[in-house]
Amino acid sequence: MASPDDLTGENAPLYAARKGVYPKRVDGPFRRFKWAIMGITLAIYYGTPWIRWDRGLYAPDQAVLVDLANRRFYMFQIEIWPHEFYYVAGLLIMAGIGLFLVTSAVGRAWCGYACPQTVWTDLFQHVDRLVDGDRNAQIRLANGPWTFEKISKRAIKYLIYLTIAFWTGGAWIMYFADAPTLTVEFWTGQAAPIAYATVAVLTATTFILGGFMREQVCIYMCPWPRIQTAMMDEKSLLVTYKDWRGEPRGSVKKAEAHPGAFGDCIDCNQCVAVCPTGIDIREGPQIGCITCALCIDACDGVMKQVGRPRGLIDYCTLDDAATEKAGGVGKPVMKTLLRPRTLIYFGIWSAIGAAMLFSLGQRTRLDLAVQHERSPLYVQLSDGHIRNNYTLKLRNMETRPRRVAVTVDGLKGAALWTEAGSRETAGQRVEIMLSPDSVTRLKLFIAAPGDGPARQDFTIATRGLDGDPRGDSDIIQFDRPEAGQ
Amino acid sequence: MVDRKRIDEATGTSTVGHEWDGIEELDTPMPRWWLWTFYASIVWAAGYVVLYPAWPMLNSATQGVLGWSSRSDLEREMQAHAERRAPITNAIAATPLTDLPAKPELMQAAVQGGAAAFRVHCVQCHGAGGAGVKKLYPSLTDDDWLWGGDLASIEYTIAHGIRNPDHKATRVSQMPAFGRDGILDAAQIADVVSHVRVISGQEKPSAAAARGEALFQANCAVCHGATGAGDRTVGAPKLTDAVWLYGGDRDSLTATIVQPRNGVMPRWGHRLDPVTVKMLATYVYSLGGGEKVSAPTLAPISEGQGADGQP
Ligand code: SF4
Ligand code: SF4
């Protein structure tokens, strides 16, 4: 970094090497909260594909499954078809608004606690401490010569990294196929090449991003910190070093020698030592801070030791910081959380969720899409009737075979039949057996008397014949030759 | 610009010297790993250029040492598809044509294969979807057939064609040119037209039609039948229905009787393999007019016998 005297910055380096980060072990309420979240998120990630869910004979029994080959998405009792992708879009919108909500209320909480990059980095940093020892030992080892001890420690550490990375990639593919089957196939070399490729790529990315890139991902690669900065306002909670209370810094000894001359910060550097991104929060809010709150735990521990009140570093809004600086008292946390902005976000978020749940409950699982064949638009039949051809797409989205009827409404004298039938057997409706969880494509022939309008709207409808009469209908045209043709 | 550069107080980093409405840009050094990623991309690109087609030359691009091309990729894929289809194609070949409708899955595959072949060989005349062309080529989608609409008849027509002069087994018949050759005079033809329009329900009975009926029985009934019901063994269309290939109005009927078209269809038996012909037959059959009952088997018609079709 250029010295402050260098006012041109001409000599600033073009490229900066990564500074090593060796976060110190720390304990405290936020650290324990982080442990809990890490446990929950990892358990969800590794465990979800193994949850079973009985859907009967005709559908997979995996609770959460993205079945790309058959183009189905299963999530517990919900099954989503490709044409219902708007539910997935809705979920993504909810996720987006959810992040807005969280950010406006508690700042970068996503970054600090739940982001996979944070969770895996945290996991890998625990591995570092397990193999190499705490911060100081790690620094010594990193700067020391390549002794046998260093080589073996590095080898063990990277092996553990690799194992975690491999399990991470391995768990990912379980979401896309029946997990127990795929596991067996994977280890017996029978899985699809794409499965091995996916595991290889994810192993590599986890190993590199979690083992080596770490905070560099947050600082240089991730767009989210930039977006979050725009989402936050002066009422969002931020990890803040309360400089008005801490400055000027001085050791306990100096403070004893000159009572009243120093602030509460004893300049012990513990907050820097524990920071997983290696920054000094006392320089003020900055992009490198993921608000993991570990420095709060560290400082609270120090304050307790020296017998001063906790919270020299604490969650604090910019508004409260100004108030406290002026000698006032900040608002209670509840007040900062519940304000119009967060309530509006929450309102939108839950409205979308409620609307999706409602429509999920309402959707029929028998769907009809009709296409009028264009070539030919109509067929002159021998007896003077006109026939039109239609292509029907019947989606049976239930996991049971179904018997359904196709009927027409609003077309006088219409007789319908399918490829399986013929005009001799044509009638007012056709009955069709639908395979479970599948699309049936049908050619439907409809003959009607030739005297009528050249183009006429009518309805083709389908409904269940097996107890559930709900169905679907489509308005479509019947064409006849223009008069004189 | 250089003179505007300054050190930003909060970060200790130099600015680049630009300023927009008070917003300045920090000249933060790039992370070193980014540089290495950049070098790695250059190495990758160099390797790619050597291995794959890359540099455009005058006529084509450099080939690359792997010899990869999208064309050979396509060939491989087509080959794979043919191999994948082989079992179905063989099953269709092994199943008698008339048994196909009883095997819905095989039938569906045959219809799809036929549709593909139809798009290549047949649409030029019969149009996409088999709708035909008015006054030129018959519709294959209706329930009125000249030579028969059951599977076997359709297959025979496709394989041997209609009025192929160089082929013995072809379907053949010839309607005389009653007007051009002076067999009937204009008034007689007008009477026959009246009769035909009466039996097809387009006109009310009249004296002219009654005169025409006698002429019809003498000249036309041999092929078209006494009632005008037509005869598929000689491709004589039904004259009592609503389907008219060359038009059912007075002018069109007159033109047909004066100078008939005697349409020709090429035969495909020697150009397409038997499975393709079979699949084409199922496709045409599936267009909506396919007839379940098979027509009485025909004695092979030899050339010249078409004269039987004379009145
Ligand atoms: S400064 Fe504190 S809250 Fe921010 S990343 Fe570092 S330890 Fe976490
Ligand atoms: S941990 Fe607290 S007391 Fe120690 S240097 Fe950081 S802010 Fe100051």
Side-chain angles (χ1 to χ4, degrees):
Chain A
M1 213 172 277
S3 85
D5 312 330
D6 175 11
L7 289 181
T8 65
E10 278 304 301
N11 303 321
L14 285 174
Y15 298 96
R18 174 178 182 249
K19 278 187 285 168
V21 178
Y22 310 96
K24 189 168 152 43
R25 181 174 282 132
V26 64
D27 189 28
F30 287 109
R31 174 67 261 184
R32 286 195 284 270
F33 183 49
K34 252 174 99 74
W35 276 117
I37 288 186
M38 180 199 252
I40 293 167
T41 48
L42 288 181
I44 291 176
Y45 177 67
Y46 288 110
T48 307
W50 298 90
I51 305 172
R52 302 289 100 184
W53 192 268
D54 184 22
R55 292 193 185 85
L57 219 53
Y58 300 100
D61 67 345
Q62 184 156 319
V64 176
L65 177 68
V66 184
D67 190 347
L68 290 179
N70 299 310
R71 311 207 302 160
R72 299 279 183 281
F73 173 47
Y74 299 96
M75 188 152 165
F76 299 95
Q77 72 268 53
I78 301 170
E79 179 189 348
I80 293 192
W81 282 47
H83 71 285
E84 297 174 304
F85 196 77
Y86 41 79
Y87 287 119
V88 179
L91 272 184
L92 291 176
I93 293 171
M94 278 182 75
I97 293 175
L99 282 171
F100 293 175
L101 168 64
V102 168
T103 305
S104 72
V106 286
R108 293 181 63 182
W110 164 258
C111 297
Y113 300 97
C115 173
Q117 177 63 26
T118 297
V119 171
W120 262 265
T121 300
D122 202 18
L123 187 64
F124 278 81
Q125 283 170 344
H126 289 311
V127 173
D128 287 355
R129 284 190 287 264
L130 185 78
V131 178
D132 297 344
D134 211 353
R135 176 178 166 86
N136 292 337
Q138 283 180 37
I139 296 175
R140 257 200 316 279
L141 196 68
N143 296 335
W146 281 94
T147 59
F148 172 76
E149 191 205 351
K150 182 168 172 175
I151 292 172
S152 49
K153 273 192 171 163
R154 281 287 184 271
I156 293 170
K157 191 167 82 170
Y158 293 159
L159 205 71
I160 300 176
Y161 280 7
L162 255 184
T163 313
I164 295 173
F166 171 75
W167 279 112
T168 306
W172 178 258
I173 61 170
M174 298 302 162
Y175 285 86
F176 298 88
D178 183 59
T181 320
L182 182 59
T183 310
V184 173
E185 283 177 354
F186 188 87
W187 289 107
T188 50
Q190 292 165 328
I194 184 77
Y196 294 103
T198 308
V199 173
V201 168
L202 288 179
T203 304
T205 49
T206 312
F207 185 70
I208 294 169
L209 298 183
F212 303 94
M213 298 299 289
R214 297 185 178 179
E215 82 290 344
Q216 302 272 300
V217 174
C218 309
I219 295 174
Y220 292 108
M221 297 181 185
C222 181
W224 191 233
R226 281 82 191 164
I227 300 170
Q228 274 177 318
T229 322
M231 298 306 311
M232 286 162 65
D233 59 17
E234 49 298 316
K235 294 187 175 62
S236 312
L237 284 173
L238 261 178
V239 172
T240 310
Y241 165 69
K242 300 185 171 174
D243 53 13
W244 57 92
R245 186 184 139 191
E247 301 293 314
R249 305 167 197 170
S251 67
V252 182
K253 260 194 202 132
K254 277 201 217 156
E256 271 167 2
H258 308 275
F262 292 97
D264 276 350
C265 175
I266 59 167
D267 210 3
C268 64
N269 236 25
Q270 287 302 305
C271 52
V272 181
V274 298
C275 178
T277 70
I279 57 164
D280 185 349
I281 190 65
R282 294 171 300 172
E283 284 168 4
Q286 52 202 287
I287 197 119
C289 174
I290 58 171
T291 70
C292 65
L294 291 184
C295 53
I296 302 182
D297 276 348
C299 188
D300 282 355
V302 172
M303 289 299 117
K304 195 172 176 191
Q305 269 175 24
V306 300
R308 295 176 188 172
R310 73 159 290 278
L312 174 53
I313 302 177
D314 205 355
Y315 274 111
C316 179
T317 66
L318 286 180
D319 272 356
D320 281 352
T323 320
E324 283 184 24
K325 208 176 268 182
V329 182
K331 283 202 190 111
V333 174
M334 262 308 144
K335 269 226 166 107
T336 59
L337 290 185
L338 301 179
R339 56 199 162 90
R341 191 169 160 182
T342 55
L343 292 177
I344 289 170
Y345 280 142
F346 183 73
I348 299 174
W349 184 82
S350 33
I352 297 175
M356 290 220 309
L357 280 179
F358 178 74
S359 79
L360 270 175
Q362 289 296 306
R363 63 186 184 160
T364 57
R365 304 315 279 150
L366 179 61
D367 180 90
L368 172 74
V370 183
Q371 218 182 354
H372 188 189
E373 237 171 70
R374 314 298 301 168
S375 77
L377 213 47
Y378 55 81
V379 176
Q380 171 72 60
L381 294 180
S382 194
D383 65 354
H385 277 53
I386 300 295
R387 193 188 77 219
N388 279 212
N389 304 347
Y390 301 87
T391 308
L392 262 57
K393 224 160 125 186
L394 284 156
R395 294 193 186 96
N396 173 17
M397 294 178 270
E398 287 185 37
T399 52
R400 59 177 174 126
R402 297 204 61 187
R403 200 160 60 86
V404 302
V406 174
T407 52
V408 298
D409 190 27
L411 188 62
K412 245 181 53 205
L416 38 149
W417 70 98
T418 64
E419 272 166 298
S422 68
R423 189 151 177 228
E424 290 74 54
T425 64
Q428 299 291 314
R429 67 176 206 183
V430 289
E431 286 181 19
I432 301 146
M433 283 303 298
L434 301 180
S435 310
D437 196 59
S438 65
V439 185
T440 306
R441 248 170 252 269
L442 267 192
K443 213 165 156 179
L444 185 73
F445 301 110
I446 300 182
D451 50 340
R455 165 159 276 215
Q456 169 181 7
D457 281 344
F458 73 108
T459 311
I460 298 184
T462 184
R463 62 188 165 81
L465 291 174
D466 45 10
D468 182 2
R470 281 185 305 168
D472 193 15
S473 66
D474 220 352
I475 294 178
I476 195 95
Q477 288 82 37
F478 189 88
D479 278 285
R480 294 184 177 89
E482 303 269 356
Q485 273 204 9
Chain B
M1 284 309 230
V2 174
D3 50 330
R4 297 251 202 94
K5 279 192 177 187
R6 59 177 197 86
I7 297 295
D8 172 61
E9 220 181 294
T11 57
T13 311
S14 163
T15 65
V16 290
H18 309 287
E19 190 237 286
W20 300 266
D21 290 345
I23 300 173
E24 289 169 291
E25 191 187 343
L26 291 183
D27 194 6
T28 310
M30 291 287 251
R32 173 143 304 135
W33 56 260
W34 189 92
L35 189 66
W36 289 113
T37 315
F38 181 57
Y39 288 152
S41 319
I42 294 175
V43 173
W44 170 279
Y48 187 93
V49 162
V50 174
L51 294 177
Y52 286 94
W55 295 107
M57 308 300 257
L58 270 187
N59 296 315
S60 67
T62 51
Q63 298 296 305
V65 296
L66 286 188
W68 179 91
S69 80
S70 51
R71 199 172 285 267
S72 61
D73 248 20
L74 174 73
E75 257 161 45
R76 240 196 327 278
E77 271 172 39
M78 296 295 281
Q79 186 108 30
H81 276 294
E83 273 165 33
R84 218 160 37 89
R85 274 202 312 264
I88 296 175
T89 318
N90 294 341
I92 293 173
T95 311
L97 180 60
T98 43
D99 291 353
L100 276 175
K103 300 179 176 173
E105 262 166 41
L106 216 51
M107 179 70 176
Q108 208 168 20
V111 168
Q112 275 167 11
F118 192 89
R119 276 195 287 273
V120 178
H121 304 292
C122 313
V123 290
Q124 291 83 347
C125 294
H126 290 290
V133 179
K134 259 206 161 70
K135 304 209 166 190
L136 282 175
Y137 309 110
S139 162
L140 304 175
T141 63
D142 60 20
D143 55 352
D144 185 34
W145 297 90
L146 294 171
W147 300 93
D150 60 291
L151 277 168
S153 303
I154 297 173
E155 187 192 34
Y156 189 93
T157 307
I158 297 172
H160 300 292
I162 298 167
R163 301 187 183 95
N164 281 208
D166 54 346
H167 185 58
K168 281 249 185 285
T170 195
R171 299 222 189 250
V172 72
S173 68
Q174 190 153 23
M175 173 161 161
F178 292 95
R180 192 197 61 195
D181 294 347
I183 304 170
L184 298 174
D185 63 31
Q188 288 174 314
I189 290 176
D191 289 346
V192 173
V193 167
S194 294
H195 173 66
V196 170
R197 287 183 51 87
V198 168
I199 59 174
S200 58
Q202 302 186 88
E203 261 178 32
K204 294 215 159 61
S206 62
R211 286 196 303 277
E213 162 142 42
L215 288 163
F216 185 88
Q217 296 304 345
N219 292 285
C220 318
V222 180
C223 291
H224 290 288
T227 58
D231 182 355
R232 288 179 178 179
T233 56
V234 290
K238 194 173 178 180
L239 302 175
T240 58
D241 65 4
V243 181
W244 297 96
L245 172 53
Y246 299 115
D249 55 297
R250 288 205 75 92
D251 288 351
S252 303
L253 283 171
T254 309
T256 304
I257 299 173
V258 169
Q259 166 101 57
R261 279 75 160 191
N262 290 317
V264 172
M265 168 175 151
R267 63 180 199 275
W268 296 94
H270 66 309
R271 285 197 228 173
L272 303 176
D273 60 273
V275 183
T276 307
V277 172
K278 210 176 200 176
M279 294 197 296
L280 275 172
T282 61
Y283 172 68
V284 172
Y285 174 87
S286 78
L287 288 175
E291 293 174 350
K292 298 242 155 10
V293 279
S294 52
T297 37
L298 311 172
I301 306 160
S302 60
E303 258 175 301
Q305 266 188 327
D308 289 352
Q310 282 191 0

